Amino acid sequence: NRFSFSRCKDRTILLENQEKKTTLFSQPFPQPFPFFATVPKKISLFFVVAFMENKYLCRHIQQERKRDMAKYVTIMDIARELGISKSTVSRALSGDTGNVKAETLQKILATAERMGYHRNELAVNFRQQSTHNIGIIIPEIVTTFYMTFINDAQAILRKQGYKVMIAISNENPEQERENILMMEQLRVDGILMSACDKEHNVDLYNKVIDRGIPIVFFDRTVEKVKASQVHMDDYIMSFFMVEALLRKGYKHIIHIPGPAYIRNSYERLRGYRDALEKFHIEYQAQDVLSPALSAEEGSWVMERFLEKNVPFDAVFGFTETAVLGAKSAIQKRGLRIPEDVALCCMSGTALATLVHPQLTVVEQPIEKMAQESCRLLLEHIADGYRRIEEIALRGETVIREST
């Protein structure tokens, strides 16, 4: 048999047969002939021809197998396998029981399962002009706020037949821009977004919306954009939080604001100032420290302030992480919370309960925010001319040990 040198044969038998004729093997065989360990010294022309034919035959079989493994099973493959028309297979796989006999239907479904057929979602989406994908772009994942929002939004959207794609901008407007363009290239039906910067990507927001992809902003919203927005009423809730401190007798309240490029920062600062004014306490610019978002920034800002030895009795922070950093710096100085200094903040999450003493916070209505954001986005997807809407939700003030 001219193909007796096949890789599928037992190499031992091959060697025994060849040793009867001549001494064949003496040195390692070079690449690209991996299925022989050694090279013949004396070799017949028949051996060479058989060897080369077997080599290329094996290579051809391997290539065919790789192609078969990499190939997606199509409706045409199933039709060819069963010897029936492509249209019959298509109707059966789309659930058209009225035009396909029950026996044929079962045979097609069984064959599709055996061959590993999966529906080509890209082709279906192209025909329907919809991917049924929603993009969610968030600025950070340090706190549990955004993960909770995504979990709630995904549950709502899944019930409506949508899948969710998530991108994180890491507080970087340029990375946010890349995320938006990526979502557009993936042809999502709409985007839920919390912005890094209230102004940096406004031009892109409007371009994407004009190209037919609606955006609904949540939590961190922006101005000058033709989009619906859902956020907590930052002004009212910060006003109530500072007012609660003042009613407890705290008189010298300092504020750790958020960065000016976040719209919420201005609203929370405005609530702080107006609460002071209501109680006839003069606003002092030096009582508003440098902006801080992270725990590291909050700690650094508070350490710089403590070095000035300015008396104060309470801290109101833009966000939870910054106040946690400030808390660490205060306690390192030997100050007691709340006996010496009270602490409170906006945007509280479960992190506020994991420290001692636990923080007094304003918690955002995350579930309600997810519900309203998803509702607005789905309505904008269904009706491209739906009027834009801005929804301000009330948060919940949770009084704990730190005040």
Side-chain angles (χ1 to χ4, degrees), residues 14-71:
L14 176 64
L15 293 177
E16 290 175 355
N17 291 338
Q18 293 302 321
E19 282 175 354
K20 293 177 183 178
K21 298 178 181 180
T22 183
T23 303
L24 294 177
F25 306 102
S26 64
Q27 62 184 8
F29 205 95
Q31 297 293 327
F33 303 99
F35 42 86
F36 280 105
T38 54
V39 61
K41 244 184 189 179
K42 300 176 182 178
I43 187 166
S44 67
L45 180 61
F46 172 77
F47 183 96
V48 172
V49 173
F51 174 83
M52 296 303 293
E53 284 192 345
N54 180 64
K55 167 187 168 230
Y56 288 112
L57 178 64
C58 289
R59 181 176 295 176
H60 175 73
I61 292 172
Q62 287 178 335
Q63 291 173 346
E64 287 296 316
R65 285 176 178 172
K66 287 180 180 179
R67 275 196 291 268
D68 288 342
M69 290 174 66
K71 182 181 177 184

Side-chain angles (χ1 to χ4, degrees), residues 278-327:
K278 178 181 176 180
F279 284 77
H280 308 290
I281 296 175
E282 185 180 357
Y283 168 76
Q284 300 287 338
Q286 62 267 28
D287 290 341
V288 178
L289 311 189
S290 299
L293 280 178
S294 67
E296 292 78 12
E297 291 171 344
S299 177
W300 184 87
V301 165
M302 182 52 64
E303 286 173 358
R304 302 289 80 77
F305 178 76
L306 291 171
E307 289 172 357
K308 299 177 182 178
N309 293 317
V310 175
F312 70 107
D313 56 13
V315 177
F316 167 63
F318 169 78
T319 191
E320 175 184 69
T321 47
V323 169
L324 287 173
K327 174 179 178 294

Side-chain angles (χ1 to χ4, degrees), residues 166-372:
I166 303 166
I168 305 164
S169 302
N170 293 312
E171 303 289 2
N172 184 337
E174 289 303 321
Q175 191 169 338
E176 178 187 88
R177 197 174 189 89
E178 293 174 6
N179 289 335
I180 296 169
L181 293 174
M182 176 189 69
M183 294 295 181
E184 185 181 26
Q185 290 168 359
L186 293 173
R187 300 188 181 278
V188 296
D189 291 351
I191 299 173
L192 294 173
M193 167 172 265
S194 188
C196 289
D197 190 298
K198 65 180 182 180
E199 296 177 350
H200 194 276
N201 289 322
V202 167
D203 62 327
L204 182 59
Y205 303 150
N206 285 318
K207 286 179 183 178
V208 170
I209 293 168
D210 289 340
R211 289 196 282 258
I213 300 178
I215 300 176
V216 171
F217 291 89
F218 68 94
D219 183 38
R220 296 193 195 175
T221 58
V222 295
E223 299 174 314
K224 303 176 183 177
V225 176
K226 299 168 289 186
S228 291
Q229 315 205 33
V230 183
H231 56 87
M232 184 172 68
D233 193 330
D234 289 290
Y235 169 75
I236 288 295
M237 297 314 301
S238 61
F239 181 95
F240 288 166
M241 185 77 265
V242 177
E243 182 184 49
L245 290 176
L246 293 167
R247 291 189 184 281
K248 284 196 169 188
Y250 297 103
K251 299 298 182 183
H252 194 169
I253 305 169
I254 63 170
H255 178 45
I256 302 177
Y261 55 78
I262 297 177
R263 184 181 177 188
N264 314 47
S265 300
Y266 172 74
E267 294 298 320
R268 295 176 186 183
L269 175 59
R270 190 164 68 91
Y272 162 78
R273 294 186 63 167
D274 287 356
L276 294 178
E277 183 179 349
K278 178 181 176 180
F279 284 77
H280 308 290
I281 296 175
E282 185 180 357
Y283 168 76
Q284 300 287 338
Q286 62 267 28
D287 290 341
V288 178
L289 311 189
S290 299
L293 280 178
S294 67
E296 292 78 12
E297 291 171 344
S299 177
W300 184 87
V301 165
M302 182 52 64
E303 286 173 358
R304 302 289 80 77
F305 178 76
L306 291 171
E307 289 172 357
K308 299 177 182 178
N309 293 317
V310 175
F312 70 107
D313 56 13
V315 177
F316 167 63
F318 169 78
T319 191
E320 175 184 69
T321 47
V323 169
L324 287 173
K327 174 179 178 294
S328 175
I330 289 169
Q331 290 177 320
K332 285 179 182 177
R333 285 295 186 101
L335 297 173
R336 299 168 300 165
I337 302 172
E339 292 83 0
D340 300 321
V341 179
L343 292 178
C344 64
C345 66
M346 304 288 287
S347 301
T349 70
L351 287 176
T353 66
L354 301 179
V355 296
H356 179 77
Q358 296 183 353
L359 293 182
T360 291
V361 299
V362 173
E363 293 184 348
Q364 301 212 61
I366 305 176
E367 184 177 358
K368 183 66 174 175
M369 189 177 291
Q371 290 172 353
E372 293 297 324

